[in-house]
Amino acid sequence: MVSSSGGSTPGVIAVVGATGRQGSSVTRHLLNDGWQVRALTRNPSGERAQALRALGAEVRQADTEDPASLRTAFADVYGLFNVQNPQTSGLDAEIRQGSNVAAAAAEAGVRHVVYGAAGVGEDKTGVGSWDSKLVIARRFRDLGLPLTVLRPMAFMELMTDKGYYPPVSTWHLMPKLMGPSRPVGWLCVDDLGAIAARVFADPDRWTGAVLGLVSDVQSIDECRGLWKERTGKKPRGFPMPVWLFKRFVGTDLITMWRWLRTERFDMGTSTTREILPEALTVQQWLARQSL
């Protein structure tokens, strides 16, 4: 098959969680680059799945809690994009689902796995949703699967997308617990999809890599300033108490923000710029939003 850039693609890529934010972005960019994409979802008749089908994806039913459905979905695929969402499933389920994906991918002989993970390094931090991804990545490696790990830091959509979790967290609780002047590494979801597609296109270069992905570094206070510059007003916040937020979403994000308050780690943008030189800064991204 010939890609839009004139090169050839070696086969079909299956995308786990294709109707989610990361999965749908990866699917769109792969299709734009000329790949055949098998978009996997629990609800193939849903509106989001139909939108991907209209773009040219092959939509298949699969459930990461059902290994048999994964084995069927991975038959004859070249590559796999994997992502799980612990905010909806919980950490134990995330690890179980990721392990199911790894086992089915190994059985199918998948030749390149790109894993949409998170975190700041290879050592445990005590942040559950980062440490769980170390476990899942290890499962892929232990099964001998060629793996590239993508580690975006904070998605820019956290500033606007209520589906992630309410903006109260980004504009109020996150800076309260982390510190409003602490630097944050940002990447938009669309650029994550573009990066994943470029990684699939160059497996010799990126297989085995763990890629920390940041296109811009701005504190929450600096993001507030950029928001006001763009809209003429401050972003809306709501001073929810920590105990109430904990009741709604658990302790993981609270632990993460407190960890970020004092710890140091690499937030360089060079890797992201090497793969995707046009990756958006926060200011560029905000300029494209309807705020």
Side-chain angles (χ1 to χ4, degrees):
M1 183 177 183
V2 178
S3 74
S4 59
S5 61
S8 61
T9 57
V12 177
I13 295 179
V15 177
V16 171
T19 58
R21 294 172 187 82
Q22 291 188 53
S24 61
S25 176
V26 171
T27 298
R28 290 193 306 272
H29 281 280
L30 288 170
L31 290 169
N32 287 341
D33 286 356
W35 289 89
Q36 293 175 303
V37 179
R38 187 172 295 168
L40 308 182
T41 175
R42 287 177 296 177
N43 181 17
S45 62
E47 183 177 338
R48 293 178 181 177
Q50 294 302 314
L52 296 178
R53 182 176 282 118
L55 293 175
E58 173 197 3
V59 177
R60 290 271 199 100
Q61 194 280 332
D63 188 337
T64 52
E65 293 282 10
D66 179 6
S69 74
L70 294 173
R71 288 193 291 270
T72 299
F74 294 167
D76 303 317
V77 304
Y78 159 79
L80 166 68
F81 179 79
N82 175 63
V83 66
Q84 280 79 46
N85 183 0
Q87 296 298 326
T88 57
S89 66
L91 297 176
D92 290 343
E94 178 193 13
I95 292 172
R96 182 175 63 250
Q97 292 165 11
S99 299
N100 288 342
V101 171
E107 185 175 328
V110 172
R111 287 180 281 166
H112 191 188
V113 177
V114 177
Y115 176 27
V120 298
E122 290 297 300
D123 297 326
K124 288 186 176 181
T125 60
V127 178
S129 60
W130 291 349
D131 293 348
S132 61
K133 290 166 180 60
L134 297 176
V135 175
I136 294 169
R138 188 165 61 247
R139 298 281 167 83
F140 281 104
R141 295 187 185 105
D142 288 347
L143 290 167
L145 286 154
L147 177 69
T148 307
V149 177
L150 307 184
R151 281 193 184 140
M153 192 57 200
F155 284 123
M156 296 178 191
E157 285 76 7
L158 294 174
M159 301 183 210
T160 58
D161 187 345
K162 294 181 181 180
Y164 270 105
Y165 41 82
V168 57
S169 56
T170 303
W171 297 119
H172 178 69
L173 281 177
M174 184 176 177
K176 178 179 180 179
L177 295 173
M178 181 186 66
S181 62
R182 289 284 290 172
V184 180
W186 298 95
L187 184 79
C188 72
V189 174
D190 186 63
D191 285 344
L192 182 281
I195 289 167
R198 295 191 184 190
V199 166
F200 274 118
D202 199 354
D204 292 341
R205 185 176 186 182
W206 299 116
T207 296
V210 178
L211 304 174
L213 300 178
V214 173
S215 63
D216 196 11
V217 179
Q218 302 282 348
S219 70
I220 297 299
D221 274 352
E222 288 169 329
C223 288
R224 283 195 183 104
L226 291 169
W227 182 290
K228 187 173 182 180
E229 180 181 305
R230 164 72 174 79
T231 67
K233 56 187 178 182
K234 295 180 180 179
R236 285 187 175 184
F238 179 77
M240 180 182 289
V242 173
W243 66 265
L244 184 58
F245 185 77
K246 179 180 177 181
R247 179 176 295 179
F248 282 119
V249 302
T251 61
D252 186 69
L253 290 170
I254 294 168
T255 301
M256 182 187 299
W257 295 330
R258 284 176 171 157
W259 189 94
L260 289 167
R261 188 178 191 94
T262 58
E263 300 297 327
R264 296 282 191 267
F265 57 94
D266 180 26
M267 278 188 280
T269 62
S270 58
T271 297
T272 300
R273 296 289 167 198
E274 179 182 357
I275 302 170
L276 189 70
E278 65 272 29
L280 298 178
T281 65
V282 171
Q283 185 176 36
Q284 291 168 335
W285 181 80
L286 284 171
R288 300 186 181 193
Q289 307 308 304
S290 298
L291 303 175

